[in-house]
Amino acid sequence: MKYRREIDGLRAVAVVPVILFHAGFGIFDGGYLGVDVFFVISGYLISSILIEELSEKRFSIIKFYERRARRILPALIFICVLCVPFAAVLMVPTQFEDFGRALVSIAIFISNIHFWRQSGYFGEDAELNPLIHTWSLAVEEQFYVVFPIFLWVIWRFGKRFVFAVILICALISLGMSHWAAENKPMANFFLTPTRVWELFAGAMCALVLHNRVIAASEFLSALGLILIVSSLMMFTKFTPTPSIWTVWPILGVCLIILFCDQRTFVGKILGFSPFVYIGLISYSAYLWHQPVFAFIRIHDPNPGHAVMVAASLLIVPLSYLTWRWVEQPFRSSSKSTRQFTGWKTVFLASTVSLAVVFSSGQFIVSRDGFSSRLTAAQNEILAIRQYEIRDEAYRSGICFMNPESDEPYASECTIDNAAYAIWGDSHAAALSVGFRFVSDRVSQYTGGRCAPILDFDTWDNPRCIERNSIALLEIQKSQPRTVVLMANWSGYLDNRGAKAALATTLEKIVEVNPDGRVVLIGSSPQWHPSLPELYVRRGRELTAPSKFELEGLLLRRLRNFDDVLNQIASENVSVSFSSLLDALCDEDGRCLSAVSNGNRVEPVVWDYGHFTELGSNEAVQRLISNERWAKESVQKSKTDE
């Protein structure tokens, strides 16, 4: 297969935005699309080799798997093994146990399934997961297991037939991904069936170019680069991905593969030596970047831009060394590496290495992340992370709206003329506990990861528009005295159009409930990776009352969102704003972290920002004591009772 410098340069275009995105720089909001670019390139290169071998009748499935093992496994296993001591030192047992489960899934090529079931890709927990990026390798590994055999079986029917079958499969996969983007977004992002159309796009390019010379095009190759770069800049974490929208960058990659060579302007750009160099080490760079960033953030939850710039630069020499001394020796067939040339040796070494990774992960899990290294009191604090299983505290089994159900909303969750109607996401559900503590006339309209913003969906929970429509209708029917809107606003207000949509939502609430009040509540204080883990890391006992200082960058971010909410509220005379940061934190950024009730002591939040029962009670009482609207509402509620 002829070497193409511009393809290595295209790899650089893929890996650099991914690194910058995960480093937290806003240069490319759609930097995660670099993975999609990699899928197309991989589909093209692998298919080109397979097609060439099949057409020359020298295809060997064993040789193919041997090449894939040489290409993927040495660097992957090397990085996994290197991560273990850092994880053991820097992670608390609960995190280390999760790390062990990730190792197990990587060893059997199902890490995409593991992370689909465990966490989202854009959540803040993902930033602290050193191995979450291996999901994309699992997708490729699963593709490599099936595709060569599939191609070998249908090759006998001719190239046109093969192209038609792959096109049909790609269209089916694309249709599935577009549907799943709206209905099953987590599965859509991580799983192979909704990703395979991107690999098939590369395969179709390989079929088109096989034994054919297509005239290079300045216009089409430039259009391809424009499509890729513009999507990297315009897509955000709220853009449904993959979906029909992802055709935009995928088409761009295909145009470059088909119509770009070293004679075109784009070919000269992509063939520029620094781009080619980065492309050559791109696989190692991809493997290195997430562990480096994650361990830095575990050590310091808010490392700052200077640290992340230095970390990004550090990835380059680390990647070169891994490429030079790990990737290259195992891919080479020179005399100096002849001990690695036999396929039996490669398979045996791969099996043993993967077994070591698998066994290491299982051992970590079996020891509960080595929880024995902590005191009983520290393990008890960490166990608070399981607070979410107390469904009745949040009433998630009842009052979380479900548009897919025949009865999307339970009648007992809404009360006519309620003192408070709580509308928002899971953070609002947590706060509703405190409102029930001060009044028994509380309605609750909540949905996980759903901001109380009409006509607004999040990427990982696309039924929010329906849920919020139900909430507005219930408010119109029940006419509550005070409508309280609350959410983890930092997860939504970054989205373009969210601020205007929130202002419109407030106007509609006032319109359908003219005699009531509307209160917009800011985000709760947040600690990363979690407040219980922070207690353990700092060697603090869980005593109440106590305070922890919020990280400066995080506090400023939350304050900025409070300012945005206050501004939105000030534009409507019927709406007021109340800050949980003002209620729970002092001027130095030290926020209440633990509360008590008799002998019972709890942290204010059980994870990074969801209130515990006692935390919610304390937060609402402080809001009420500081806000006249709340006092009056409680007085009216008690008078009616």
Side-chain angles (χ1 to χ4, degrees):
M1 179 180 172
K2 180 182 177 182
Y3 174 67
R4 297 177 60 181
R5 286 177 61 87
E6 64 272 14
I7 299 301
D8 271 330
L10 192 57
R11 282 193 175 114
V13 173
V15 75
V16 170
V18 171
I19 293 173
L20 294 177
F21 176 80
H22 286 148
F25 302 122
I27 300 174
F28 296 113
D29 287 339
Y32 58 90
L33 289 172
V35 175
D36 302 73
V37 175
F38 273 127
F39 283 154
V40 182
I41 296 173
S42 181
Y44 164 68
L45 294 174
I46 295 304
S47 299
S48 296
I49 296 171
L50 289 173
I51 291 168
E52 185 176 305
E53 292 179 345
L54 285 167
S55 64
E56 297 176 1
K57 301 186 184 311
R58 54 184 179 87
F59 170 72
S60 168
I61 191 65
I62 291 178
K63 288 295 184 182
F64 173 81
Y65 289 148
E66 178 192 348
R67 289 195 302 268
R68 288 296 87 203
R70 289 175 182 274
R71 176 73 175 98
I72 293 176
L73 295 183
L76 174 62
I77 293 170
F78 175 71
I79 296 298
C80 287
V81 171
L82 275 185
C83 283
V84 173
F86 288 95
V89 171
L90 294 173
M91 288 179 162
V92 296
T94 49
Q95 287 178 306
F96 194 40
E97 184 178 358
D98 289 340
F99 174 83
R101 292 192 180 94
L103 287 178
V104 170
S105 69
I106 290 169
I108 55 177
F109 307 146
I110 60 167
S111 62
N112 60 328
I113 298 173
H114 169 74
F115 291 121
W116 160 54
R117 299 178 64 181
Q118 294 295 319
S119 63
Y121 183 74
F122 298 109
E124 291 174 342
D125 284 348
E127 293 184 344
L128 307 178
N129 192 324
L131 298 176
I132 193 170
H133 62 320
T134 61
W135 73 269
S136 64
L137 301 181
V139 169
E140 292 198 24
E141 289 158 351
Q142 292 158 18
F143 175 76
Y144 295 149
V145 168
V146 177
F147 182 67
I149 300 173
F150 167 76
L151 190 61
W152 174 72
V153 169
I154 64 174
W155 185 257
R156 68 194 66 186
F157 299 106
K159 195 163 64 174
R160 290 186 178 181
F161 179 82
V162 171
F163 185 91
V165 171
I166 291 179
L167 175 61
I168 292 171
C169 292
L171 291 175
I172 292 172
S173 175
L174 174 58
M176 290 172 57
S177 73
H178 191 66
W179 176 87
E182 296 295 325
N183 296 277
K184 303 290 181 180
M186 287 286 200
N188 179 54
F189 190 91
F190 284 109
L191 301 186
T192 301
T194 53
R195 285 286 184 176
V196 75
W197 68 273
E198 299 175 331
L199 289 145
F200 279 150
M204 287 187 286
C205 289
L207 283 165
V208 170
L209 292 175
H210 179 242
N211 289 336
R212 182 183 304 172
V213 177
I214 295 181
S217 171
E218 291 282 3
F219 172 75
L220 292 176
S221 59
L223 177 61
L225 187 60
I226 290 170
L227 289 175
I228 295 171
V229 174
S230 60
S231 63
L232 291 171
M233 298 176 66
M234 297 180 66
F235 278 47
T236 71
K237 62 182 180 181
F238 300 101
T239 306
T241 304
S243 69
I244 195 69
W245 299 107
T246 321
V247 171
W248 183 349
I250 299 306
L251 177 60
V253 181
C254 292
L255 289 175
I256 289 177
I257 291 174
L258 293 172
F259 299 104
C260 181
D261 64 21
Q262 285 299 293
R263 294 169 295 175
T264 62
F265 178 69
V266 171
K268 292 175 182 177
I269 294 176
L270 295 178
F272 186 46
S273 294
F275 285 155
V276 174
Y277 169 75
I278 294 174
L280 288 172
I281 64 172
S282 60
Y283 178 55
S284 288
Y286 182 77
L287 289 175
W288 268 111
H289 84 280
Q290 182 63 17
V292 169
F293 294 160
F295 287 130
I296 287 174
R297 288 182 171 123
I298 290 171
H299 176 70
D300 179 2
N302 288 281
H305 288 310
V307 173
M308 297 310 289
V309 168
S312 301
L313 295 175
L314 175 64
I315 290 169
V316 177
L318 290 176
S319 303
Y320 172 77
L321 292 173
T322 306
W323 173 77
R324 176 66 180 84
W325 298 107
V326 179
E327 285 192 66
Q328 289 298 100
F330 282 90
R331 294 174 65 184
S332 171
S333 58
S334 63
K335 292 182 179 180
S336 62
T337 56
R338 64 177 54 183
Q339 65 268 35
F340 301 119
T341 59
W343 68 266
K344 292 182 180 180
T345 303
V346 171
F347 287 166
L348 178 62
S350 298
T351 302
V352 171
S353 299
L354 290 172
V356 169
V357 173
F358 182 92
S359 301
S360 299
Q362 284 283 56
F363 183 68
I364 293 168
V365 173
S366 68
R367 294 295 184 272
D368 298 323
F370 292 92
S371 59
S372 58
R373 57 191 159 123
L374 301 181
T375 65
Q378 288 176 318
N379 280 314
E380 187 175 341
I381 293 174
L382 285 180
I384 295 170
R385 283 296 310 266
Q386 303 303 315
Y387 196 90
E388 58 183 320
I389 66 175
R390 301 181 187 178
D391 283 350
E392 59 187 18
Y394 288 13
R395 297 180 63 174
S396 61
I398 301 174
C399 294
F400 270 41
M401 296 173 284
N402 181 14
E404 298 178 354
S405 171
D406 293 334
E407 186 178 352
Y409 191 75
S411 58
E412 58 264 40
C413 296
T414 186
I415 303 171
D416 287 340
N417 199 27
Y420 301 102
I422 316 301
W423 182 6
D425 61 6
S426 58
H427 288 249
L431 193 65
S432 71
V433 178
F435 279 100
R436 288 194 184 86
F437 182 76
V438 300
S439 174
D440 61 359
R441 300 191 61 79
V442 176
S443 295
Q444 180 183 337
Y445 313 106
T446 51
R449 302 184 303 280
C450 280
I453 305 176
L454 295 171
D455 300 320
F456 178 85
D457 270 341
T458 57
W459 84 274
D460 56 348
N461 199 345
R463 307 305 295 271
C464 294
I465 290 178
E466 296 174 67
R467 291 176 176 179
N468 287 328
S469 297
I470 294 171
L472 184 66
L473 182 62
E474 292 295 332
I475 288 171
Q476 184 175 14
K477 291 178 181 177
S478 62
Q479 295 293 298
R481 299 180 185 181
T482 302
V483 178
V484 177
L485 279 73
M486 191 267 186
N488 177 22
W489 298 106
S490 61
Y492 313 109
L493 291 184
D494 278 337
N495 190 8
R496 300 183 183 96
K499 298 170 188 176
L502 177 57
T504 301
T505 300
L506 297 174
E507 293 172 0
K508 290 188 176 181
I509 296 173
V510 174
E511 179 182 336
V512 302
N513 187 38
D515 296 328
R517 294 172 176 170
V518 182
V519 180
L520 200 56
I521 296 182
S523 299
S524 61
Q526 297 180 11
W527 293 268
H528 294 291
S530 76
L531 185 55
E533 288 168 358
L534 197 59
Y535 266 97
V536 172
R537 288 183 184 282
R538 296 188 179 181
R540 294 272 294 274
E541 295 182 1
L542 188 62
T543 58
S546 61
K547 289 184 176 183
F548 269 161
E549 182 179 356
L550 261 65
E551 296 291 338
L553 290 175
L554 177 59
L555 179 60
R556 285 196 294 274
R557 178 174 168 80
L558 294 175
R559 289 285 189 194
N560 288 338
F561 282 116
D562 271 8
D563 292 341
V564 170
L565 295 170
N566 193 23
Q567 177 61 35
I568 293 173
S570 67
E571 295 171 356
N572 192 315
V573 294
S574 300
V575 180
S576 60
F577 170 74
S578 184
S579 171
L580 282 167
L581 296 179
D582 289 344
L584 297 173
C585 307
D586 57 30
E587 294 180 356
D588 296 327
R590 290 171 51 81
C591 301
L592 185 69
S593 58
V595 289
S596 62
N597 183 5
N599 294 327
R600 179 181 169 191
V601 180
E602 287 184 347
V604 169
V605 300
W606 58 264
D607 59 352
Y608 69 93
H610 290 86
F611 285 116
T612 59
E613 181 179 348
L614 295 186
S616 182
N617 294 347
E618 181 70 20
V620 170
Q621 288 185 80
R622 291 195 178 202
L623 286 174
I624 288 175
S625 66
N626 291 332
E627 298 292 338
R628 184 175 180 180
W629 65 267
K631 283 185 178 180
E632 292 175 351
S633 296
V634 173
Q635 290 169 356
K636 289 181 181 179
S637 176
K638 290 182 177 179
T639 300
D640 290 343
E641 293 166 6

Coordinates of all heavy atoms in Angstrom, one line a residue, residues 98 101 113-120 129:
D98 N -12.8 0.9 40.8 CA -13.3 1.2 39.5 C -12.2 1.1 38.4 O -12.5 0.6 37.3 CB -13.9 2.6 39.5 CG -15.2 2.6 40.2 OD1 -15.8 1.6 40.5 OD2 -15.6 3.8 40.6
R101 N -11.8 -2.5 37.6 CA -12.8 -3.0 36.6 C -12.5 -2.6 35.2 O -12.8 -3.3 34.3 CB -14.2 -2.5 37.1 CG -14.7 -3.1 38.4 CD -16.1 -2.8 38.7 NE -16.6 -3.4 39.9 CZ -16.6 -2.7 41.1 NH1 -16.2 -1.4 41.1 NH2 -17.0 -3.3 42.2
I113 N -18.3 -1.1 26.4 CA -19.5 -1.5 27.1 C -19.4 -1.2 28.5 O -20.4 -0.8 29.2 CB -19.6 -3.1 26.8 CG1 -19.8 -3.4 25.4 CG2 -20.8 -3.6 27.6 CD1 -19.8 -4.8 25.0
H114 N -18.2 -1.4 29.1 CA -18.0 -1.1 30.6 C -18.3 0.4 30.8 O -19.1 0.7 31.8 CB -16.6 -1.4 31.0 CG -16.2 -0.9 32.3 ND1 -16.6 -1.5 33.5 CD2 -15.4 0.1 32.7 CE1 -16.1 -0.8 34.5 NE2 -15.4 0.1 34.1
F115 N -17.7 1.3 30.1 CA -17.9 2.7 30.3 C -19.3 3.2 30.0 O -19.8 4.1 30.6 CB -16.8 3.5 29.6 CG -15.5 3.3 30.2 CD1 -14.4 2.8 29.4 CD2 -15.2 3.6 31.5 CE1 -13.2 2.6 29.9 CE2 -13.9 3.4 32.0 CZ -12.9 2.9 31.2
W116 N -19.9 2.5 29.0 CA -21.3 2.8 28.7 C -22.2 2.6 30.0 O -23.1 3.3 30.3 CB -21.8 2.0 27.5 CG -23.3 1.8 27.5 CD1 -24.2 2.8 27.4 CD2 -24.0 0.6 27.4 NE1 -25.5 2.3 27.3 CE2 -25.4 0.9 27.3 CE3 -23.7 -0.7 27.3 CZ2 -26.4 0.0 27.2 CZ3 -24.6 -1.7 27.2 CH2 -26.0 -1.3 27.2
R117 N -21.9 1.5 30.7 CA -22.7 1.1 31.8 C -22.3 1.9 33.1 O -23.1 1.9 34.0 CB -22.6 -0.4 32.1 CG -23.1 -1.3 30.9 CD -22.9 -2.7 31.2 NE -23.7 -3.2 32.3 CZ -23.7 -4.5 32.7 NH1 -22.9 -5.3 32.1 NH2 -24.4 -4.8 33.7
Q118 N -21.1 2.5 33.1 CA -20.6 3.1 34.3 C -20.8 4.6 34.3 O -21.1 5.2 35.4 CB -19.2 2.7 34.5 CG -18.9 1.2 34.8 CD -19.6 0.7 36.1 OE1 -19.5 1.4 37.1 NE2 -20.2 -0.4 36.0
S119 N -20.5 5.2 33.2 CA -20.4 6.7 33.3 C -20.6 7.3 31.9 O -20.5 6.6 30.9 CB -19.1 7.1 33.9 OG -18.0 6.7 33.0
G120 N -20.7 8.6 31.9 CA -20.8 9.3 30.6 C -19.4 9.8 30.2 O -18.5 9.8 31.0
N129 N -11.0 9.7 35.1 CA -10.8 8.3 34.8 C -9.7 8.2 33.8 O -9.8 8.6 32.6 CB -12.1 7.8 34.2 CG -12.2 6.3 34.0 OD1 -11.2 5.7 33.8 ND2 -13.4 5.8 34.2

